[in-house]
Amino acid sequence: MIAEDEALIRLDIKEMLEEEGYEVVGETGRGDEAVQLVQEHSADLAILDIRMPGLDGLSAARQITDAGETAVVILTAFSQRNLIEEARDAGVLAYLAKPFRKDELVSAIEVAMARFREMKALESENQDLQQKLETRKAVDRAKGMLMDQHGWTEEQAFVWIRSTAMDNRMKMKEIADQVISGERQP
């Protein structure tokens, strides 16, 4: 998705991208429309100018990156340090100053997309680890309650939780939560 307020530049960018095999799913000259187009088309990448009517590129970038589904590249004539820092803080993955060559644009896109995939993979791994930690805490707490209430060993409590989960086709965390809430007892 391309958001550039100068129509000729936007057309040049689109042609460059299509020549390189990219599909441009939307284009606009306004920042507020850029955010909508990214959402509408589930764009993998948004290329934004900084200065646009409706919503500036950095504010649009912030909204797009907050949704977490699209990589953002800033393509602008402005290269002041404070703008670069604002772009970084907004979650922008590449910053390219005009004028640029096609190979520079493609490089910026490829690096941004690779970084975005890495971030998504880390996010997914983090969620998996968080779920495992929550499961372990619940199972440990439930084991402790079963050990106290029934005089079982830790292994006996664990085996009961695991076999109950398997027998009922449930997750161990669900059984542990039921033990903790008092809904399920041996």
Side-chain angles (χ1 to χ4, degrees):
M1 199 291 305
I2 303 167
E4 163 65 58
D5 62 338
E6 293 184 45
L8 287 176
I9 294 174
R10 189 169 63 237
L11 182 62
D12 285 346
I13 295 168
K14 181 179 180 181
E15 286 177 5
M16 283 182 206
L17 294 177
E18 288 175 342
E19 285 172 7
E20 290 297 317
Y22 296 102
E23 178 186 357
V24 177
V25 296
E27 53 182 295
T28 182
R30 297 179 53 90
D32 50 351
E33 289 176 4
V35 174
Q36 290 174 336
L37 286 171
V38 164
Q39 292 169 347
E40 270 178 43
H41 297 287
S42 300
D44 296 324
L45 176 77
I47 299 174
L48 308 174
D49 189 5
I50 286 185
R51 305 284 159 108
M52 291 184 287
L55 187 67
D56 69 85
L58 293 175
S59 297
R62 219 171 273 107
Q63 289 183 24
I64 292 167
T65 59
D66 284 350
E69 299 301 320
T70 306
V72 176
V73 171
I74 292 289
L75 184 61
T76 185
F78 303 98
S79 58
Q80 292 92 341
R81 180 97 178 148
N82 66 317
L83 292 176
I84 295 169
E85 289 171 359
E86 282 184 56
R88 177 202 61 212
D89 295 344
V92 170
L93 296 174
Y95 193 102
L96 191 57
K98 297 175 194 172
F100 58 90
R101 295 185 323 263
K102 180 169 40 172
D103 63 324
E104 292 171 327
L105 177 60
V106 170
S107 297
I109 289 170
E110 291 302 319
V111 168
M113 293 301 296
R115 293 292 170 258
F116 186 74
R117 285 190 294 274
E118 287 173 6
M119 287 172 31
K120 294 305 278 182
L122 287 172
E123 222 173 80
S124 177
E125 184 179 334
N126 189 26
Q127 288 175 350
D128 289 346
L129 290 172
Q130 187 65 35
Q131 287 176 345
K132 287 178 181 177
L133 179 61
E134 289 173 14
T135 296
R136 180 161 184 166
K137 284 179 181 180
V139 169
D140 283 349
R141 186 167 173 212
K143 284 189 313 188
M145 291 175 72
L146 293 170
M147 290 164 57
D148 290 345
Q149 293 168 359
H150 302 285
W152 290 353
T153 65
E154 183 177 0
E155 184 178 345
Q156 289 171 317
F158 178 79
V159 167
W160 182 84
I161 292 169
R162 184 182 61 201
S163 62
T164 303
M166 287 173 31
D167 292 345
N168 292 282
R169 297 179 189 263
M170 296 173 71
K171 295 184 180 204
M172 288 179 57
K173 183 174 184 320
E174 294 171 310
I175 299 299
D177 287 341
Q178 290 177 353
V179 169
I180 292 166
S181 71
E183 291 176 50
R184 187 180 293 266
Q185 290 297 318

